Amino acid sequence: MTPETCILIGAPVDSGKARRGCLMGPDAYRVAGLADALTTLGHTVQDLGNLAPAPADTPQDMPTHVHAPAETIGWTQTLAKAGQSAMSEGLPIFLGGDHSLSLGSVLGVANHAASTGKPQFVLWLDAHSDFHTPNSSSSGNLHGTPLAYVTGAKGFSGFPEVTNPIPENQICILGLRSVDGPERDVLQRSAIRRHDMREIDETGIAKPLAAFLAHVADMGGALHVSLDVDFLDPAIAPAVGTTVPGGATIREAHLVMEMICDSGLMTSLDLVELNPFLDERGRTAQVMVDLAASALGRRVFDRPTQAFG
């Protein structure tokens, strides 16, 4: 693939849920050799280090059960600014951190896409839909809210204004297997492309992904990929606080990332929900690094492929 300038943005976000540990994620990716893997593939790597949340207050009308809203608002401000800026320099890779970091990462890359006249698309690789708002979430964990926020849903008082919301038909969720009632009802009324593990078992993972990538290419869009550890089956990636059995196999996951690479469409990437405290000798961190490398060109054998763009 064409060499990229990969910009590593450390986002040790640990405020999106009550269980601690994701703040160690960015450094675990570094120890697992992410930068070396990317440079071996011919890419240039710039590591911006670990960022910190901007100061923020808890809005008075934020539901009282929401966990650490001020800190997450601060992270959203910081990461949106960093993401928008990094898009002008290369391909940002947000090293998480829990999935609430995507409140900021997607906001930032969408703002950049709007400034260049490109439609922003999002591929969400996750066991969960993360389509709650602070009001609908029974847990109060903001890592379950990013997709609702970036589509412009109401209820995010105090968060940066979403001036360039992602149209629902420009979002695809792959790997669903844990969606609660309120989210399911809203998703079924939405235009979001959503594919659960039963569908993937029945028809394979390549078919829905190829259709989505073709849509991105047809629209000349920018593609943000958000990879949650719990997209994978916990048997191969145990280091996540939201394990759900029956996830993607290692080959399914690599196929997804290889197809993304073949398409040439990815413009930004999240690696989220890694909790090294729950890992086994760095096993999950290494799997995530290997998947990122597949998305950016690693192959057993190169072969001619039909690119989408």
Side-chain angles (χ1 to χ4, degrees), residues 7 10 17 45 77 86 94 141 176 200 205 215 224 259-260 284 286 303:
I7 302 173
K17 72 278 178 286
V45 176
Q77 294 171 349
F94 299 86
N141 292 333
L176 286 170
I200 290 169
I205 206 165
H215 181 44
H224 180 82
M259 289 177 65
I260 290 168
T284 307
Q286 188 62 63
R303 60 178 183 166

Side-chain angles (χ1 to χ4, degrees), residues 55-289:
D57 297 320
T58 299
Q60 291 185 349
D61 54 350
M62 180 66 65
T64 57
H65 74 294
V66 172
H67 179 72
E71 186 175 350
T72 303
I73 289 169
W75 272 117
T76 303
Q77 294 171 349
T78 291
L79 293 172
K81 182 178 179 181
Q84 185 170 358
S85 175
M87 285 294 298
S88 300
E89 305 296 329
L91 189 152
I93 302 176
F94 299 86
L95 310 180
D98 70 60
H99 219 154
S100 67
L101 77 82
S102 298
L103 293 154
S105 65
V106 178
L107 180 66
V109 299
N111 288 341
H112 177 268
S115 73
T116 63
K118 278 195 165 190
Q120 180 69 60
F121 288 77
V122 175
L123 177 61
W124 204 256
L125 304 172
D126 201 327
H128 309 87
S129 59
D130 295 339
F131 207 55
H132 272 298
T133 68
N135 291 305
S136 71
S137 171
S138 60
S139 70
N141 292 333
L142 289 168
H143 70 166
T145 67
L147 277 184
Y149 173 66
V150 300
T151 54
K154 296 180 180 179
F156 290 87
S157 176
F159 282 82
E161 182 182 359
V162 180
T163 54
N164 299 292
I166 311 292
E168 291 178 347
N169 65 356
Q170 292 173 199
I171 296 171
C172 177
I173 310 174
L174 277 182
L176 286 170
R177 57 194 189 278
S178 179
V179 182
D180 62 22
E183 277 184 302
R184 184 168 55 249
D185 293 342
V186 175
L187 274 173
Q188 287 177 331
R189 296 192 300 269
S190 79
I192 291 175
R193 299 174 184 232
R194 53 198 183 274
H195 307 280
D196 63 15
M197 288 306 298
R198 174 174 176 169
E199 179 185 344
I200 290 169
D201 288 343
E202 290 176 342
T203 65
I205 206 165
K207 183 177 178 180
L209 177 58
F212 182 64
L213 293 174
H215 181 44
V216 179
D218 289 344
M219 297 292 292
L223 178 62
H224 180 82
V225 177
S226 196
L227 173 61
D228 189 313
V229 171
D230 70 26
F231 169 67
L232 303 162
D233 192 89
I236 58 173
V240 61
T242 51
T243 53
V244 184
T249 67
I250 195 69
R251 262 313 315 154
E252 286 172 328
H254 275 289
L255 175 59
V256 167
M257 305 315 270
E258 290 163 5
M259 289 177 65
I260 290 168
C261 180
D262 291 347
S263 77
L265 295 169
M266 185 174 74
T267 49
S268 50
L269 173 66
D270 296 332
L271 302 175
V272 302
E273 290 289 350
L274 175 66
N275 185 337
F277 186 76
L278 304 175
D279 211 355
E280 300 170 357
R281 298 187 178 183
R283 173 184 173 190
T284 307
Q286 188 62 63
V287 167
M288 293 289 279
V289 166

